[in-house]
Amino acid sequence: MKIIKTIPEMKAAVGEHKSAGRTIGLVPTMGFLHEGHFSLVRAARKKADVTVVSIFVNPAQFGPKEDLKTYPRDLNRDSVMLEKEGVDYVFHPEAGEMYPHGYKTYVEVRDLQEKLCGRSRPEHFRGVCTVVLKLFQIVGPDIAFFGQKDAQQAIILRKMAQDLNLDVQVEIMPIVREADGLAMSSRNTYLSPEERAAALVLAKSLEAAKRQIDHGERRAGVILGGMKAMIGEEPLARIDYVEAVDMEDLDPVKKIVKGTLIALAVFIGPTRLIDNMIVSLER
Ligand code: AMP
């Protein structure tokens, strides 16, 4: 496994594989890897000849009051684990390599970027789209892998790929959870033991919603009301949003149907966590 820090080296490395007719799979990450990330890596290994994992804590997707400085980083640990997973390249650029002095170009997916997480993180998806398009240009993947954990991000990136006619297949992989249901996230490391216990309320509220839907309830207001009441009972939790939306336009729905996205963001103490489920209507 090779760790590459510069754009020209990364382009040269994948260029050789492409000339030899090999397909490239890309897994973009911010590092501090967990099983959620590894599920994407394993999918890439299966579907593409060459696997590239990028590790880049992207300044453009953090708001001024967010955790860019404190975001957990451990390249050595990540590298050891990625080598074991059979990854071919880790792309780990410095911020100045991706955004040199005088950088000016940003990508926006209008409308979708303003909904759900976009309301409390106004520049977030602009930063995500910009870095992912840059990574696509640098790595030239045939397939790129993202997690449903960040459902809005996945929907926005699919739209970007479609709108900009990118020759990359965007694959979205299921949410990987801890044994007790908490969705895996690098930010879970911020949680104190009390907060870690309180954080379970996100998954528990989704499970409660699923039970209600399984029993035939379809009114979004009733289901979301139940979720909010449950989260409201957890003293360490503060709701950012709890919504049921259409997967295409991310607009709120009144009636739950197959494919409705139920998504939530909740502060547990100072840490903002997200979770979601796509309604299957299968028992
Ligand atoms: P991050 O390092 O948080 O930017 O995440 C990198 C990629 O891993 C994104 O596509 C995430 O959606 C995905 N990911 C993060 N956590 C999980 C999880 N628990 N299950 C599945 N995918 C995940």
Side-chain angles (χ1 to χ4, degrees), residues 28-30 34 36-37 40 146-147 149-150 153 174-176 184:
T29 82
M30 299 205 298
H34 51 66
H37 297 113
L40 308 186
F146 298 90
K149 160 85 192 330
D150 301 86
Q153 164 175 289
I175 301 178
V176 178
M184 289 194 183

Side-chain angles (χ1 to χ4, degrees), residues 12 16 21 36 45 76 100 124 134 138 160-161 181 202 223 226-227 241 257-259 263:
E16 279 180 32
R45 289 264 292 132
N76 288 338
H124 175 68
K134 282 175 71 76
I138 295 161
M160 175 181 84
L202 281 87
I223 289 160
M227 292 176 73
Y241 68 81
V257 295
K258 186 170 193 280

Side-chain angles (χ1 to χ4, degrees), residues 22-247:
R22 289 190 275 271
T23 58
I24 313 287
L26 171 66
V27 181
T29 82
M30 299 205 298
F32 215 73
L33 304 174
H34 51 66
E35 280 298 315
H37 297 113
F38 296 130
S39 72
L40 308 186
V41 170
R42 285 166 204 151
R45 289 264 292 132
K46 219 181 256 174
K47 293 211 171 168
D49 300 324
V50 177
T51 301
V52 181
V53 176
S54 62
I55 297 182
F56 180 59
V57 183
N58 173 32
Q61 72 188 65
F62 286 78
K65 290 183 186 148
E66 292 182 353
D67 55 345
L68 173 62
K69 283 223 175 85
T70 53
Y71 195 86
R73 293 161 167 91
D74 192 341
L75 181 66
N76 288 338
R77 170 178 163 279
D78 289 350
S79 309
V80 169
M81 292 164 101
L82 289 175
E83 178 128 48
K84 279 194 196 133
E85 292 288 337
V87 165
D88 301 289
Y89 298 96
V90 172
F91 181 51
H92 181 61
E94 299 281 334
E97 179 77 6
M98 294 295 270
Y99 303 106
H101 186 67
Y103 186 88
K104 295 218 185 292
T105 305
Y106 292 87
V107 186
E108 297 195 7
V109 177
R110 293 250 172 108
D111 203 32
L112 296 181
Q113 68 183 1
E114 283 126 43
K115 314 239 166 99
L116 303 176
C117 289
R119 279 202 296 280
S120 54
R121 307 188 75 191
E123 309 255 287
H124 175 68
F125 292 110
R126 173 188 191 254
V128 169
C129 289
T130 301
V131 81
V132 169
L133 182 58
K134 282 175 71 76
L135 290 168
F136 284 179
Q137 293 299 105
I138 295 161
V139 176
D142 298 276
I143 323 182
F145 297 82
F146 298 90
Q148 190 207 310
K149 160 85 192 330
D150 301 86
Q152 184 178 11
Q153 164 175 289
I155 288 164
I156 287 176
L157 291 174
R158 269 217 167 131
K159 187 74 184 132
M160 175 181 84
Q162 183 191 13
D163 286 356
L164 296 181
N165 314 101
L166 304 182
D167 288 323
V168 53
Q169 187 184 326
V170 173
E171 287 276 330
I172 302 172
M173 306 302 294
I175 301 178
V176 178
R177 298 178 179 280
E178 302 285 357
D180 61 4
L182 179 69
M184 289 194 183
S185 164
S186 309
R187 288 193 169 96
N188 291 347
T189 51
Y190 295 150
L191 303 170
S192 69
E194 295 75 24
E195 289 166 347
R196 171 67 182 74
L200 267 187
V201 77
L202 281 87
K204 290 237 176 291
S205 71
L206 286 170
E207 285 161 21
K210 183 174 186 316
R211 276 196 300 277
Q212 274 186 301
I213 294 165
D214 286 346
H215 282 103
E217 181 60 66
R218 295 289 180 271
R219 290 168 295 175
V222 172
I223 289 160
L224 300 177
M227 292 176 73
K228 286 177 190 168
M230 189 171 188
I231 299 164
E233 278 171 28
E234 172 50 64
L236 292 176
R238 181 169 58 84
I239 292 174
D240 182 5
Y241 68 81
V242 181
E243 287 197 45
V245 299
D246 179 272
M247 283 274 281

